[in-house]
Amino acid sequence: MKGHERDTISTDSTSLKSPVVLSLALHLLILAVALAGWSWTNPVQEPEPRSIAARLISPEPEPSPLVDDQDQRKKDQELKEKQRQKAEAERKRIQQEEAQREAEKKAQELARKQEQLKEQERKRQEAQAKQKAEQQARAKEAARKKAEAEAKERERQKAEQERKRQEQVKRKALEEKKRQEELRRKEEAERQRKEEEARKAAEQKRQEAERRLREQQLNALAEEAKKAQENEARKQREAQAARAREAQMLTDSQKYQALIRERLSQAWYPPSSATENMTARLQITLLPTGELASVTLVSSSGNTAFDNSALGAVRSLKRYPVPDNRDSFERYFRQFTIEFNPQRLR
């Protein structure tokens, strides 16, 4: 078909040149008018028109070019009318959508205003309720204050009555007190008179009793002085005897201590490792018979052999020399300490 078209155009180009140009110009004019009509009739933004892909096909040579041109114009007009109707329908659709959106917007605005009116009504009712509650509260507070004032007035009247009653009681009590004081003054005067008489009689008795008491005190003082002299003489004798006993006890203790040191010195054999600086301190407890009750190492010499030798020497004595006087034994020999040193026993 295409080859046939090319052959036709090439063989008869002179006869078809003028209709083709006219058809092309007519199509372009229709398209321009349509575009201009759309831009003027639709102020709102229209969707972009769909592009029309057209292919120019050389028509078959017909015997009457004038008939073809009229048909083409009719078709172009029909196409233009369809496009206009389509554009008009699209414009109406957009207008309807805008009208619907506007109606929705107005409905929303109306609903918002109704909601605002409801909110204002609610706030008004709340304010009225609050005002009513405040009025009721003020009325209640006023009633309470009135009741309090009335109660305070009743209390004041009651207190005033009580004050008057107490004043009357006090006045009667004061009168009674004055009467009682007058009675007491009379009784006091009588009592003082009787007391004065009794005092004089008692004073005589007291003076007599004091005289007898002084005599008794003098006799007692003389007896007490005599007893004091006798006690002082007795104390002096006892002190002299105690000093004598103490001296005897000290002498006995020194004598028996020397005997004990001598016995221990004979029984003690220090180890070969003993030095002059070693000292062991032992506490010895004896029985009144002189027997050893216990021995304790109070202070170590630092050398076990040295300490054991001192303990062995103390334990080796079966009986220690002690005085027969019990007081001397209890004071000096019941419990005593002794130091063991290679140079001395002390």
Side-chain angles (χ1 to χ4, degrees), residues 41-58:
T41 57
N42 190 10
V44 297
Q45 186 177 359
E46 296 287 345
E48 295 181 0
R50 291 176 294 176
S51 60
I52 300 174
R55 184 178 62 181
L56 181 61
I57 301 174
S58 299

Side-chain angles (χ1 to χ4, degrees), residues 35-291:
L35 292 174
W38 287 343
S39 61
W40 285 101
T41 57
N42 190 10
V44 297
Q45 186 177 359
E46 296 287 345
E48 295 181 0
R50 291 176 294 176
S51 60
I52 300 174
R55 184 178 62 181
L56 181 61
I57 301 174
S58 299
E60 294 290 337
E62 295 181 359
S64 179
L66 181 60
V67 175
D68 291 339
D69 193 18
Q70 291 177 353
D71 292 339
Q72 185 65 35
R73 284 197 299 273
K74 186 177 181 181
K75 289 180 181 179
D76 291 340
Q77 290 177 357
E78 290 177 355
L79 178 61
K80 183 179 179 182
E81 182 65 21
K82 288 181 180 180
Q83 290 176 350
R84 187 189 65 77
Q85 291 177 356
K86 183 178 180 181
E88 182 67 18
E90 182 67 18
R91 183 181 64 78
K92 289 182 179 180
R93 185 186 64 81
I94 293 173
Q95 287 179 351
Q96 290 177 357
E97 289 180 354
E98 288 181 352
Q100 184 177 0
R101 285 196 297 271
E102 186 67 22
E104 291 177 354
K105 184 177 179 181
K106 289 181 178 180
Q108 291 176 358
E109 182 67 19
L110 180 60
R112 185 180 65 79
K113 288 182 178 179
Q114 289 178 353
E115 187 65 26
Q116 288 179 352
L117 290 175
K118 288 181 180 179
E119 181 65 18
Q120 290 176 358
E121 179 64 19
R122 185 185 63 79
K123 289 183 178 178
R124 186 185 65 79
Q125 291 178 359
E126 288 181 354
Q128 288 179 353
K130 183 178 179 182
Q131 185 178 6
K132 184 177 180 181
E134 289 177 352
Q135 290 176 354
Q136 291 176 353
R138 285 194 295 270
K140 186 177 181 181
E141 180 66 17
R144 185 186 63 80
K145 289 182 178 179
K146 182 179 179 182
E148 288 181 354
E150 291 175 352
K152 287 181 179 179
E153 180 62 21
R154 287 194 297 271
E155 288 293 329
R156 188 190 65 77
Q157 292 176 0
K158 184 178 179 181
E160 182 67 19
Q161 292 175 359
E162 180 65 19
R163 184 184 64 79
K164 291 180 179 180
R165 188 188 65 79
Q166 290 180 358
E167 286 180 354
Q168 186 177 5
V169 171
K170 287 181 180 179
R171 186 170 60 254
K172 290 181 179 180
L174 183 61
E175 292 175 355
E176 180 66 19
K177 183 178 179 181
K178 289 180 179 179
R179 190 182 66 79
Q180 293 290 338
E181 287 179 354
E182 182 66 24
L183 181 61
R184 281 196 297 272
R185 280 197 297 270
K186 292 179 180 180
E187 292 177 350
E188 182 67 19
E190 182 65 20
R191 183 186 64 78
Q192 290 178 357
R193 185 185 64 78
K194 292 180 179 180
E195 285 182 354
E196 182 65 21
E197 293 177 355
R199 185 187 64 77
K200 291 179 180 179
E203 181 66 20
Q204 292 177 356
K205 292 181 180 179
R206 184 186 64 79
Q207 291 176 358
E208 182 65 21
E210 286 181 354
R211 184 184 62 78
R212 290 195 299 269
L213 180 61
R214 281 195 298 272
E215 290 179 355
Q216 292 175 0
Q217 288 177 347
L218 290 174
N219 294 331
L221 287 173
E223 185 67 23
E224 185 177 350
K226 182 179 179 182
K227 290 181 178 179
Q229 290 176 356
E230 292 177 353
N231 288 333
E232 183 64 24
R234 180 178 57 78
K235 288 180 180 179
Q236 289 179 358
R237 290 193 301 271
E238 289 177 353
Q240 290 176 357
R243 286 195 294 272
R245 287 195 303 274
E246 185 69 24
Q248 183 64 36
M249 288 168 60
L250 182 60
T251 302
D252 291 344
S253 68
Q254 292 173 351
K255 179 177 69 174
Y256 285 99
Q257 286 175 3
L259 289 173
I260 291 172
R261 284 196 294 272
E262 182 180 357
R263 296 277 184 88
L264 289 174
S265 178
Q266 294 174 358
W268 182 40
Y269 297 97
S272 60
S273 60
T275 63
E276 295 179 358
N277 295 327
M278 292 182 182
T279 300
R281 192 163 177 261
L282 278 66
Q283 186 180 68
I284 298 173
T285 304
L286 300 178
L287 299 175
T289 59
E291 295 176 339

